[in-house]
Amino acid sequence: MARQLIDQFAAQLPEDRRASVYGGSKVGHEKRTKVLFDHFPDADRLRELAGEIKQHVVENLDTYLPKIEASLIAAGVKVHWAATAEAANKAVLDIMRARGATRMVKSKTMVSEETHLADYLQQNGIDCLETDLGEFIVQIDGDHPSHIVKPIIHKNRREIAQSFERHGLGAYDDDPQTITRRARRFLRKKYLEADVALTGGNFLVAESGRLVLVTNEGNSRFCLAATKTHIAMVGIEKILPRDRDLALLLNLLARSATAQQLTVYTEFIKGPRSSTQPDGPEEMHVILVDNGRTDVLESDCREILRCIRCGACLNVCPIYRQASGHAYRSVYPGPVGAVLSPLLAGKKFPELADLPKASSLCGACNEVCPVNIPIPDLLLRLRNKGKEEGAKIASAGTPPMGGWAVLATQPMLWKTAMMGGKILDVLPEKFVPVPAFRAWTDQRTLPGWRGGVFRKWMRTRETKPRQPTVGP
Amino acid sequence: MNDRDSILGRVRAALAPLKVRAPLPDWEREIVIMREARGNVDAWTLFATRMKAVNGTPLDTAPALVALLEKENAFVGYCDPALWPKLKPSFPATFTVETTFDRTRVDHYAFGITRAAAGIAETGTLVLKDASTSSRLAALAPWIHVAVLARDTLFHDLPEAVDALGEDANVIWCTGPSKTADVEGILIEGVHGPGLQVALLLD
Ligand code: SF4
């Protein structure tokens, strides 16, 4: 029996990397719980409500999409639609070419990771620079983000200092303060030289046509203060019905993501800058991106489209903490990724069909999710889909259950096996001569053997009927 | 078929089998107001407490601002031309203050003074709007940003501020100084935006 790919990855993860990911995610989770419940008497009610609002949007996208299009246009925004990653990237390039623009500064957006926008633009002669500190480090390292909110959770300061040195940003110095100041100095020149700012969008409000962006560093604000063109790439599921719903969602997003009451910068954008404002884009584009989302909408896992990318489920997940984000081989790691990545993969579903198995189904992800997504249920549905579609990878790491089935249907055999099982208590697991069993116990220890107890209890229990209880 | 039609077509097809669609719930604004902000609290007191909690600096007199800038060794800066006549009498001649922001010299300015459209007491947040911010860059690029705030513009809580977003093309809420915890989770302030965020109450 082959090991699950994610297990293999986890087993080979260098110890300091595991320590970074484990420590970072654990702290993130603990702070979140404290802040959310200290601040609100009924935090769980907030999660349920937010979930209901987003589910409503997901199930009514057919009316919300034309609505958001109309409100954006009314706000002076040019709206583009992109069915695929290629179409989305091309839309960006076309806008840049039409403006004769060659330099882009980019704020963190997950959807542009999905479409590999930065690589595509570089290949087409566009200078495209990530401005979020974590994403910037990932970019100069040719690495990939390993967390959707904290992209370099897997790196320590020594590695970062080394890459800064390699890229001519100063002699080795691993003080986080120095690292941050050097990035500040380097990037502010770039903002001012750039022609175009690319951002994602945390929310798009249907009634007002507002695009809402949150960052802590102020990089998206700098992008939008310094450049003349703003392009926002936004997934079609990012809509909220009303402005007032923002009060609920923003409160939950910041607390779930980084245990803050509010993200430092929350920007509400309604078209290009006004004529009295000297700084900021004269032209604004929104690209509404599908790239597999309509497949998800069609599936029985459409609840995952409620996701607001807060990363709380990653932080709490025992598998994510041990394996790190790269183990998920896709843009979205952790519990959300285990559901979303295989679904977004479309025809390539079989290649990621093992991800839904990277879960102990403990339910912690559902419990922390600010939009109350029943992730464990969705994982089970996807396991089923993997099985039905015969994806080989989906059964890797599953102990063969055939033998168990034979045992369980033959009482005599079962009895013997129950007695024989005691051997496992004395025989070290690694000496069990069954490879399938070994592969499974490599990373796990069995509890002490308790088989056969039920039968014994059954035989010796008192059979006297219970006295009828006398009513009051 | 263009992408718009194909996306909308696929969305409609995907939703067609649903017999009932999830309704849009209504909700009471009180449920998202923090414990600390419930009941009767003076807006400026709450604002100042909450702003300090996120490492912001609330001040209520112009001399206090001058003292802070001197302490920070920040003698060169920008000020919104409409605000300068009001502040000028408090600034000694050691200061050089410009009323146009030259983007080719962003690092020349140690501070930027602009107007805040409002504040949110519950979260200690400054609300900047394009209509009243004389320059987005001046409120962002210098190490110190001073947002001048009028008492009667304070919102009590976040839902109130959301209701008042209005028609401005750009509204930004700033809650404390720019920050990151990307490097080993260690908090560092002043990444791309101000390392020191000041709110100056000026009635
Ligand atoms: S699934 Fe829920 S917890 Fe996970 S990132 Fe999305 S919103 Fe956050």
Side-chain angles (χ1 to χ4, degrees):
Chain A
M1 178 187 62
R3 272 246 212 100
Q4 277 184 47
L5 288 174
I6 215 157
D7 275 1
Q8 281 175 32
F9 191 97
Q12 285 156 13
L13 197 67
E15 223 17 78
D16 57 340
R17 209 144 265 229
R18 190 189 327 274
S20 300
V21 174
Y22 185 87
S25 43
K26 185 159 176 287
V27 171
H29 169 64
E30 284 159 3
K31 283 204 206 135
R32 166 214 166 262
T33 310
K34 186 166 172 350
V35 168
L36 197 57
F37 289 87
D38 274 4
H39 288 179
F40 299 118
D42 201 357
D44 277 330
R45 178 75 196 121
L46 303 188
R47 296 192 310 114
E48 282 164 22
L49 264 174
E52 288 167 22
I53 293 172
K54 290 278 330 206
Q55 186 69 20
H56 164 78
V57 169
V58 168
E59 293 186 10
N60 292 277
L61 270 180
D62 49 351
T63 44
Y64 279 115
L65 281 167
K67 210 166 168 181
I68 191 67
E69 181 188 39
S71 337
L72 286 168
I73 293 172
V77 177
K78 299 204 172 92
V79 179
H80 311 252
W81 300 73
T84 58
E86 297 73 43
N89 290 346
K90 187 165 176 302
V92 175
L93 185 65
D94 287 348
I95 297 166
M96 294 202 62
R97 293 225 163 119
R99 301 261 317 177
T102 55
R103 281 162 304 188
M104 166 186 285
V105 275
K106 197 166 161 292
S107 171
K108 182 167 156 16
T109 111
M110 293 310 292
V111 61
S112 73
E113 296 284 337
E114 279 176 44
T115 69
H116 305 287
L117 176 71
D119 290 344
Y120 171 85
L121 291 178
Q122 308 279 24
Q123 283 156 20
N124 284 282
I126 304 277
D127 184 11
C128 166
L129 189 72
E130 296 285 353
T131 58
D132 171 87
L133 178 60
E135 294 281 339
F136 172 68
I137 291 166
V138 162
Q139 187 181 32
I140 61 176
D141 279 357
D143 196 355
H144 293 286
S146 65
H147 188 289
I148 58 182
V149 173
K150 298 171 254 186
I152 51 167
I153 193 171
H154 60 292
K155 287 185 196 284
N156 59 42
R157 61 172 101 176
R158 291 179 299 284
E159 292 170 75
I160 300 167
Q162 281 157 8
S163 33
F164 268 48
E165 191 175 29
R166 261 200 314 277
H167 287 87
L169 291 163
Y172 182 94
D173 186 338
D174 63 12
D175 173 25
Q177 177 100 20
T178 312
I179 292 171
T180 312
R181 292 291 167 269
R182 284 175 174 171
R184 177 183 172 99
R185 212 172 312 130
F186 177 78
L187 285 165
R188 56 180 39 212
K189 284 201 296 280
K190 300 287 181 183
Y191 291 117
L192 293 160
E193 287 164 12
D195 316 298
V196 173
L198 186 115
T199 71
N202 293 86
F203 306 103
L204 268 177
V205 184
E207 79 176 353
S208 61
R210 252 181 254 284
L211 171 77
V212 184
L213 279 178
V214 306
T215 74
N216 271 320
E217 299 179 2
N219 54 317
S220 78
R221 176 60 164 181
F222 221 132
C223 290
L224 297 184
T227 62
K228 293 288 171 242
T229 305
H230 175 197
I231 306 174
M233 258 176 131
V234 193
I236 54 171
E237 82 284 18
K238 291 279 174 161
I239 301 172
L240 281 184
R242 309 160 292 206
D243 278 334
R244 65 187 308 263
D245 298 317
L246 287 169
L248 179 64
L249 272 297
L250 287 171
N251 266 311
L252 283 168
L253 175 59
R255 286 178 177 85
S256 307
T258 44
Q260 289 165 278
Q261 48 166 10
L262 258 188
T263 315
V264 176
Y265 298 101
T266 309
E267 197 156 7
F268 305 86
I269 304 151
K270 205 165 147 53
R273 73 163 190 228
S274 47
S275 53
T276 52
Q277 175 56 242
D279 308 320
E282 296 154 350
E283 195 177 301
M284 177 176 173
H285 301 262
V286 168
I287 305 173
L288 296 169
V289 183
D290 178 350
N291 195 31
R293 284 160 176 75
T294 46
D295 290 336
V296 186
L297 191 64
E298 206 189 336
S299 76
D300 57 356
C301 294
R302 67 177 69 86
E303 289 94 329
I304 201 69
L305 293 175
R306 295 181 204 165
C307 174
I308 56 172
R309 311 284 190 261
C310 73
C313 59
L314 280 62
N315 293 341
V316 77
C317 177
I319 314 288
Y320 174 85
R321 286 180 182 180
Q322 293 296 331
S324 103
H326 292 158
Y328 294 77
R329 318 190 303 285
S330 48
V331 172
Y332 300 103
V336 56
V339 178
L340 197 54
S341 298
L343 285 170
L344 288 180
K347 285 198 188 61
K348 292 190 174 161
F349 172 82
E351 289 174 30
L352 294 174
D354 62 312
L355 294 184
K357 297 203 44 199
S359 168
S360 59
L361 300 178
C362 68
C365 46
N366 182 188
E367 224 166 79
V368 298
C369 177
V371 283
N372 200 25
I373 302 176
I375 298 176
D377 292 350
L378 304 185
L379 290 171
L380 285 175
R381 285 176 215 165
L382 281 178
R383 288 182 185 185
N384 204 25
K385 176 174 154 80
K387 189 98 188 156
E388 273 170 6
E389 295 186 9
K392 259 207 211 86
I393 205 176
S395 56
T398 308
M401 301 307 269
W404 186 83
V406 174
L407 278 183
T409 45
Q410 314 216 12
M412 278 316 287
L413 257 177
W414 180 262
K415 237 167 117 180
T416 327
M418 282 303 121
M419 288 189 307
K422 285 210 179 57
I423 280 189
L424 286 175
D425 280 350
V426 279
L427 185 73
E429 279 147 22
K430 57 176 188 279
F431 293 131
V432 176
V434 185
F437 184 76
R438 290 263 301 280
W440 203 77
T441 53
D442 250 12
Q443 305 284 316
R444 302 167 173 90
T445 28
L446 289 173
W449 184 260
R450 309 235 302 147
V453 179
F454 178 73
R455 280 167 191 268
K456 209 151 140 205
W457 171 79
M458 193 62 184
R459 264 200 313 277
T460 54
R461 81 189 173 121
E462 285 186 44
T463 46
K464 213 168 44 179
R466 270 209 280 163
Q467 294 294 320
T469 38
V470 184
Chain B
M1 195 170 14
N2 64 31
D3 282 27
R4 180 184 189 275
D5 294 344
S6 85
I7 293 174
L8 288 175
R10 300 204 53 180
V11 167
R12 284 188 205 109
L15 293 172
L18 295 188
K19 288 201 191 67
V20 276
R21 311 260 184 112
L24 175 61
D26 243 316
W27 52 278
E28 299 293 316
R29 33 173 295 144
E30 282 68 34
I31 60 167
V32 293
I33 296 170
M34 287 166 59
R35 284 184 221 262
E36 245 184 285
R38 295 184 180 197
N40 240 338
V41 248
D42 168 62
W44 171 254
T45 315
L46 180 61
F47 177 85
T49 318
R50 299 301 305 164
M51 192 187 187
K52 282 185 206 150
V54 288
N55 280 353
T57 312
L59 300 175
D60 51 12
T61 65
L65 172 65
V66 172
L68 175 83
L69 295 176
E70 283 171 340
K71 194 179 116 237
E72 292 292 325
N73 223 347
F75 291 99
V76 179
Y78 163 90
C79 183
D80 174 343
L83 285 170
W84 187 231
K86 239 179 163 178
L87 290 170
K88 199 175 172 197
S90 310
F91 278 70
T94 38
F95 284 87
T96 315
V97 176
E98 297 175 18
T99 52
T100 45
F101 191 84
D102 178 1
R103 60 178 271 148
T104 61
R105 297 184 300 153
V106 280
D107 291 324
H108 165 76
Y109 307 92
F111 62 88
I113 306 176
T114 66
R115 198 188 289 277
I120 310 172
E122 179 187 15
T123 50
T125 299
L126 289 160
V127 178
L128 313 186
K129 292 191 173 185
D130 255 7
S132 50
T133 302
S134 51
S135 156
R136 288 190 197 177
L137 274 173
L140 182 74
W143 182 255
I144 303 171
H145 175 229
V146 182
V148 174
L149 185 66
R151 194 187 300 266
D152 59 4
T153 63
L154 279 175
F155 296 116
H156 176 264
D157 51 56
L158 195 133
E160 245 180 44
V162 167
D163 288 344
L165 281 169
E167 290 304 309
D168 202 298
N170 190 293
V171 181
I172 186 163
W173 293 355
C174 311
T175 310
S178 150
K179 67 180 186 190
T180 186
D182 272 351
V183 181
E184 290 190 7
I186 298 160
L187 179 73
I188 305 287
E189 290 175 335
V191 193
H192 306 285
L196 209 63
Q197 177 68 62
V198 181
L200 175 64
L201 188 68
L202 210 64
D203 287 316

